[in-house]
Amino acid sequence: MKRIFALAYSFLLLHSFGYAQYSICGKVTVNQQIKGQSWVSILGIDDSVATDKIGQYCFRNLPLGEYILAANTDGFMSEVQFISLKKDTNNVNFNIEILSTDTVSVVAERIAERRSNISIKTEIVDLSKQSLSSVSVEQLMNRASGIRVRNSGGLGSDADIVVGGFSGKSVKFLIDGIPIDYLGSSMGITKMPINMADYVEVYKGVLPTEIGVDALGAAVNIVTRRPDKTGYRLSYELGSFHTHKVGVNSFVRHSPKLSYGVDAFFNYSKNDFKVDHLPVSDEQTGKTKYIRAPLFHNGYRQFSADMYLNIEKRKWTDLLEIKLNAFTIKKDIQNDFASRDKAYGEVFRKEKAYIVPSVLYKKSFVDGKLKLSQFFVFSRINFQFADTLKNAYYDWLGQKYEASSSSETGNDFSNLKQSIIYTDVNNIIYRGLFSYQLNDDHKLILNIVENYVSRESDDMNKYHTRSTIDYNRLIVGAGYSYHFLDSRLQGLTQLKYLLSHTDGELINQATLKKEEPVQNSGWSFSQSLKYDSYSGWLIRASTENSYRLPDQMEIFGDNVHVLPNISLQPEKSFNVNLGVRYKKKGVGSIEVNSYYRNIRDMIKLKEITQLQAAYINLEHVRGYGVELEAAVFPVKNFEISGNLTYNEFRFKGSNSNISQNEHFVNARVSNMPFYFGNANVSYLFDKVFDQRSKLKLYWTYSYVHQFYLDYIEKQFEPDGFLGIFGNSKIYTNRIIPVQQVHSAGLIWSFDITNIQKVAVATELNNIFNQDVYNNFKMQSAGRNYSLKLTVEF
C-alpha cells in the first residue's frame, strides 16, 4: 500500500513538473504561542524548512499538485494538512500541542513504575518527580525501602551503602548500565545533583542481563536524563555550612535527526559542621579534654560537565551519541578514614579528567527484532594525595603548632620528589548488548562487558620510581526472557561467565618477592519469576549463585591508607529472594520482600597498622532479611508511606588467624545497621495563589536502631524480640546509638507557560538537631537547611 501511495504521489509531482512554480507559506505556533525554529515537512518527499523567529515558513518553486504537510518541534508533531496546490497558497498554519512538564513527569513516573514491576526486585528512586526539590540523591535513597547510605563527611564524601544485607564494594554502581569506574568518584550518590538523572534503579538480588556487572547481590544503576524536546533548566541551591550548588541542563532539538546538549554542575561546601568528642590537650593540666567544635579543613569543590551530540533516525543508525565528559575535584581531608583522634590541617586530595570521550551506537535490524547497542569509553584520571606540612601539627581548634614530624598523616615521603603522591588510572570499557525478539513473548539477550584498568603510581618504597598494576575483567551474560498466560507469568533465566587477570609490579611484604600474576574465573546462574494476577497481587521469586570479582579499589588500594592486594579471590554467595505485593490504584499498596544470603570469601578491609589497611578475603557470613513497605492515598494528592527493614546476618567464621575468633561465631555482623525504617507524608495543593501554581508540603522521619562497631558475642546481645530491645549485657562504648531524624520541606512551582516554569524549594533537615553517626561512629551534620531556585524554559 505504501509503495502504491508513493508511486501515485511521485506521478502527480512528475505530471506537474515543468509547469508554473508556486509557493506554500504559513505560520507555526506552539500551544497557540509563536515559537521559532520549528520544522515544516512535505511528507512523501525529503523536503523540510525551518520557521523564522516569528514562526513563519515558506516552500517556494513548487509545481502544481497534491501535498501533505506537517509541522514538528522538539519531537512533537502537528496534525497533517492536505493541500491541493493550484496557486500561491498562504495561511497554511499549524499549531503544535506540547505536553506540560507535569505530563512529562507522569510519563517518567510510568517508566519507573514499569521497571518496578519486572521479575527482579527493583527499588526505583524516581528523581524526575523530585527534580525541583532541594533534597539530595543521597537523602532520597535513604528514604527508600531497604537502603541505608552512610556518609559522615558532608557533601562530596565517600559513602557506604547497605542494600539487602550487602554493603561496601559488594554493591556495584553503574551509570546507564555501564560500570561507573571510568568517571572516578565524580558521579557518586553524595555528589551527583538530582537534576542529572531521571531515576535510580536499585537491584536487590538477581541483576538483569542488560546490567553487565558482577555484583554479589545488589547494584545501583543511575539512569541519566534523555530529553526529546528543546529545553533549558538552571538551578541554584544555597545550604548550611557554606554550601552552594549550581546546575545547568540544556538540550536542543535541531531537527528530528540531530540534537545536542550540555549537562553541567558545580558543588562547593566548607562542610564546617560541629561535632562532639574532639580531643584537645589542656595546656595548663596536660590532660586531654573533649570539646565540641566545627570541622575547619573539610571543604569540597567539584566541577563536572557532559557535552553530547546525538545523530538519530538515520538508515545506518537509530542513535549515535558522541559524548565528552570533564571533571575536577578537590577534597580537603580533616582526619583519617576511621576516627577523629587527630586533626589534619593541610592534607587534601585532587581528582581530575579533562577529556573523557565515549561513543554509544544503537541500531535495529530484521524489522526491529534484532537490536544492538555498542558502547566504548576511554578515560585517564589523575589523582593527587598531598600532605605537605612538615614539623608542625594542628589541633581541633584549628591552631597550628611546631613539632618534629615529617607529615601530618604519618606517611614517609622520603622516596618521593615532593610530599604529593601522583597516581594515573586509565580505564577502557567496552559494552556490547545484543537482543533478539523471537516473538511477542520470548527474547534472547547477550551482554559482553570488557573493563581494562591500568594504574601507574608513585612507589612509596623506591626512590623516584613508579609502579604499575593492570587489571582486566571480562563479563559475558546470556539471558532468556519469556512471558506466559498473557504476560501474567514472566521469567528470566541467566548464565554469566566471569574472568579476571591481574598483574603488577608489587613486592609481597612477607616474601619480599614480586607478586605473580593472578587469574580468576567462574560461572554464575540465576533464575527469576514473577506472577501478576492483574487483580492487584504480584508475586516475585529469584535465586542465584553469584560470583563477584574484586573491585579495582580492593585490588589497587589508594596507595596511602589502603595497600594493594592483587591476590584477592572473588566473593561467592548463594542468594534466594521472595516478595509479595498488593496494589490498588488510587488507594495504596503494601509489599513484603525477604531474602537469604550465604556469603563466602567475603572481602573486608582489615587494619594492618594504625595508619594502613588492606582488603583481604576474611569472612563467611550467612543470614536473612525482611523488608516491609506500604503507601496509602487517603484523598487526592495526599500520600502516606513508610518502610521497615530487618537484617539478621551472622558471622560464621574467618580465613584469618585472629585469636579468639571462635568466640564470635554466630555474632551479628559488626558495624552494620540491622533495623531501620522511614515514614513520609506529603500533600500537593493545586492552584495555590494562582491557577498556574502548585505547592507541595512534605515531612519525613528516619529511624536507625543502635548497632555495634565490634563483634558482640551472641550471648551478650540484648534480649527481646529480634534483639531490638534493651542493651548489651557487657559494657562497650563502641556503639552507634539509636538515631531518629525528622525533616520537612516544601516545593512551590509556577507555570509561566506550558514550557516555562519557576520553582522554589526548601528543606529543614534534622529538625530537632539530633546526633547522627555513620560508618565507624563518625558524627554527621546536625540541623541544616537548603534553599533552591529552579528556572525551566
Side-chain angles (χ1 to χ4, degrees), residues 117-160:
N117 288 335
I118 63 176
S119 61
I120 297 169
K121 172 55 182 171
T122 310
E123 200 72 39
I124 302 296
V125 182
D126 194 348
L127 304 184
S128 64
K129 294 172 60 177
Q130 302 288 341
S131 62
L132 300 178
S133 72
S134 60
V135 297
S136 65
V137 176
E138 176 187 358
Q139 288 173 300
L140 287 178
M141 293 190 66
N142 251 339
R143 295 167 186 173
S145 176
I147 302 171
R148 182 56 45 180
V149 181
R150 298 193 287 172
N151 162 36
S152 57
L155 177 65
S157 294
D158 294 333
D160 180 49

Side-chain angles (χ1 to χ4, degrees), residues 375-483:
F375 178 85
F376 180 83
V377 64
F378 168 78
S379 70
R380 181 177 177 86
I381 306 173
N382 174 259
F383 298 86
Q384 297 178 28
F385 177 85
D387 181 6
T388 58
L389 183 65
K390 294 183 179 181
N391 301 320
Y393 73 93
Y394 284 84
D395 67 9
W396 278 111
L397 296 173
Q399 297 173 344
K400 187 176 180 180
Y401 300 89
E402 292 185 359
S404 56
S405 62
S406 60
S407 68
E408 286 192 271
T409 58
N411 288 287
D412 182 7
F413 294 93
S414 59
N415 288 326
L416 305 183
K417 296 179 181 178
Q418 52 184 327
S419 297
I420 301 177
I421 303 174
Y422 290 92
T423 302
D424 295 307
V425 177
N426 296 319
N427 288 273
I428 299 176
I429 297 178
Y430 164 76
R431 195 278 298 270
L433 179 61
F434 310 84
S435 67
Y436 187 79
Q437 194 79 40
L438 299 171
N439 54 44
D440 290 342
D441 296 321
H442 299 267
K443 182 170 70 171
L444 298 176
I445 309 164
L446 176 66
N447 193 13
I448 303 171
V449 177
E450 176 84 12
N451 188 0
Y452 172 76
V453 184
S454 179
R455 190 196 76 167
E456 183 181 344
S457 181
D458 290 334
D459 194 325
M460 301 285 286
N461 300 312
K462 294 182 180 180
Y463 186 69
H464 290 187
T465 60
R466 293 170 68 81
S467 61
T468 301
I469 305 177
D470 297 327
Y471 186 36
N472 193 31
R473 288 186 294 178
L474 172 67
I475 302 172
V476 180
Y480 171 42
S481 173
Y482 40 88
H483 301 170

Side-chain angles (χ1 to χ4, degrees), residues 158 181-187 191 300-303 327-331 349-354 381-384:
D158 294 333
D181 298 338
Y182 72 93
L183 291 175
S185 66
S186 65
M187 287 294 284
K191 305 168 186 177
Y300 180 77
R301 184 175 69 243
Q302 175 185 11
F303 173 78
F327 66 87
T328 177
I329 295 172
K330 181 183 178 183
K331 174 72 176 75
R349 287 184 183 272
K350 286 185 177 181
E351 182 180 346
K352 61 184 178 182
Y354 290 136
I381 306 173
N382 174 259
F383 298 86
Q384 297 178 28

Side-chain angles (χ1 to χ4, degrees), residues 98 170 193 196 533 731:
I98 288 186
S170 296
M196 289 293 290
S533 68
Y731 171 78

Side-chain angles (χ1 to χ4, degrees), residues 310-324:
N310 295 332
I311 301 172
E312 307 167 69
K313 302 174 184 177
R314 300 280 184 175
K315 291 183 179 180
W316 49 274
T317 182
D318 296 335
L319 171 65
L320 175 64
E321 180 183 72
I322 303 171
K323 180 182 287 188
L324 295 177

